[in-house]
Amino acid sequence: MSSSTVITNIATLVTNDPSLGDGSPLGLVRDAAVVVEGDRVVWTGASRKAPATDNRVDAGGRAVLPGFVDSHSHLVFAGDRTEEFNARMSGRPYSAGGIRTTVAATRAAGDAELEATLTRHLAEALRQGTTTLETKSGYGLTVEDEARALRLAARHTEEVTYLGAHIVAPEYADDPAGYVALVTGEMLDACAPHARWIDVFCEKGAFDGEQARAILTAGKARGLHPRVHANQLSFGPGVRLAVELDAASADHCTHLTDEDVAALAGSRTVATLLPGAEFSTRGPWPDARRLLDAGATVALSTDCNPGSSYTSSMPFCIALAVREMHMTPDEAVWSATAGGAAALRRDDIGRLTPGARADLVVLDAPSHVHLAYRPGVPLVRQVWRRGVREV
């Protein structure tokens, strides 16, 4: 039988259950405790009411919140795009190839190198409080390289996404229809066994609405659920296609019409915002306030990738969301935890209530608000995943 542990003397506990504590969406409980048994939360509430347990951990008057859920990243890659970033930030032209640069390096790398890069970034994210992380293929763009990317990712996370439709592979530059046929045919056959999701970059210069619909529909027929890179660089059909196909998320959502916002608000599709990308490209910020006020569900994620958002820090993204996207600290923390869980269609993570997976973060601060109040400060003191302290 599993032993039980109470984490007590918690100044502020974020449960993400509005029926608890102060009744807010965060379900804040003051002077709180959490009881963990095995890999699950079995009790939350006021410290003075905590049941007897086998073990006791004193949080020392710190805040506790659910582990961050990072629902969008690209971690199976090789190579470095420092020069590209430096040129962009210095106002100099740079034409080395963007995503294609990473594709070439990834194809040339061995499995061991790719897996080492993946696990290094996963460990880096864990140290910063991320306990669930989705990651994608998309830097191979051949049948063999896409399948191996997913196979490697699936060894380390349960949230794996097939993104053969990241861009048109260089060798198909003059035959995009042929590449779509490959992505929906032989490549899909090789990749579907290793993935849960299918994604497509629906954007000018990548895949148009009809190509994206064909790719996502083919994936659904093979049991993969859609997610969409939507409306990042320009207005387009991505968001409405995501809603039409009941995609779990439409990611980026930077350029939205009123119709796009209404479609998201009236659907189950989560608007996943990725402020690290805007920070790293000096692009326009997504309008989180507009989405939230309309009633859309919003998630925050890092978009960790070597080109346009090379950060694994969810606390950094929370701070950006509050400062630049007009979210409140409460909204940003909810979106980085429960919002990310919604974007992965999960109800066992992103909350700290009985039955949830025992994934939690202890901050070196009395309140979750410090994540935005003290940007850039390493506030994560402990990370528990599946009931085991890992940091």
Side-chain angles (χ1 to χ4, degrees):
M1 185 172 177
S2 300
S3 65
S4 58
T5 299
V6 62
I7 303 172
T8 189
N9 195 15
I10 298 169
T12 311
L13 173 67
V14 175
T15 68
N16 285 338
D17 183 344
S19 72
L20 299 176
D22 66 352
S24 72
L26 291 188
L28 295 176
V29 182
R30 313 287 180 181
D31 189 17
V34 175
V35 176
V36 172
E37 188 171 304
D39 66 351
R40 297 286 150 174
V41 174
V42 296
W43 185 90
T44 58
S47 278
R48 67 183 184 278
K49 298 181 180 179
T53 58
D54 301 312
N55 307 295
R56 183 179 184 274
V57 174
D58 189 335
R62 298 179 175 87
V64 172
L65 62 155
F68 299 124
V69 180
D70 188 347
S71 61
H72 183 129
S73 77
H74 306 249
L75 298 185
V76 186
F77 69 88
D80 180 271
R81 284 159 66 184
T82 303
E83 291 185 13
E84 175 185 334
F85 175 80
N86 193 27
R88 186 164 61 236
M89 294 297 107
S90 304
R92 299 195 306 267
Y94 184 84
S95 57
I99 291 173
R100 290 171 180 81
T101 303
T102 302
V103 169
T106 302
R107 288 177 176 181
D111 287 8
E113 178 184 348
L114 293 177
E115 191 164 19
T117 298
L118 169 66
T119 56
R120 176 167 58 87
H121 288 100
L122 287 170
E124 183 179 275
L126 181 66
R127 290 195 300 271
Q128 298 173 92
T130 297
T131 52
T132 301
L133 189 145
E134 178 270 3
T135 201
K136 310 174 192 297
S137 65
Y139 291 126
L141 309 186
T142 67
V143 172
E144 178 183 350
D145 287 306
E146 286 294 293
R148 75 165 175 155
L150 295 170
R151 187 174 63 252
L152 292 171
R155 293 178 185 173
H156 301 282
T157 178
E158 62 233 283
E159 300 296 346
V160 180
T161 301
Y162 166 45
L163 183 60
H166 199 180
I167 58 170
V168 174
E171 51 273 11
Y172 282 86
D174 297 324
D175 184 18
Y179 187 66
V180 171
L182 180 69
V183 168
T184 58
E186 183 184 356
M187 189 183 288
L188 176 60
D189 290 341
C191 290
H194 307 293
R196 182 183 178 203
W197 307 97
I198 185 168
D199 199 346
V200 60
F201 188 17
C202 184
E203 186 62 70
K204 293 175 183 176
F207 299 89
D208 65 25
E210 289 310 306
Q211 292 170 326
R213 177 180 283 104
I215 290 163
L216 296 172
T217 301
K220 286 187 76 170
R222 290 298 305 272
L224 303 181
H225 203 82
R227 342 180 51 78
V228 183
H229 279 64
N231 300 53
Q232 177 185 5
L233 305 177
S234 60
F235 295 98
V239 162
R240 276 163 287 173
L241 179 62
V243 171
E244 174 193 329
L245 297 179
D246 187 36
S249 65
D251 297 25
H252 288 288
C253 294
T254 308
H255 297 86
L256 301 180
T257 65
D258 290 344
E259 291 75 17
D260 293 330
V261 173
L264 287 165
S267 75
R268 292 200 304 162
T269 300
V270 174
T272 299
L273 308 183
L274 311 169
E278 280 69 43
F279 178 87
S280 297
T281 62
R282 291 185 175 148
W285 299 97
D287 191 346
R289 184 80 269 135
R290 182 184 179 199
L291 286 160
L292 290 163
D293 289 348
T297 301
V298 171
L300 289 176
S301 186
T302 64
D303 191 21
C304 187
N305 75 82
S308 60
S309 184
Y310 200 13
T311 179
S312 57
S313 175
M314 289 290 278
F316 175 64
C317 291
I318 288 170
L320 287 179
V322 172
R323 173 63 181 84
E324 304 292 351
M325 302 196 315
H326 310 295
M327 299 180 83
T328 68
D330 283 14
E331 288 168 340
V333 166
W334 189 95
S335 294
T337 52
L344 295 174
R345 296 270 167 96
R346 298 275 296 271
D347 60 9
D348 62 326
I349 56 177
R351 61 187 177 89
L352 290 176
T353 55
R357 206 166 75 179
D359 295 349
L360 59 90
V361 173
V362 180
L363 297 182
D364 224 348
S367 167
H368 62 283
V369 176
H370 282 236
L371 290 164
Y373 180 45
R374 304 195 69 207
V377 177
L379 294 177
V380 174
R381 185 180 181 91
Q382 297 180 21
V383 183
W384 296 60
R385 185 165 57 178
R386 295 185 176 90
V388 176
R389 181 177 172 182
E390 299 205 20
V391 174

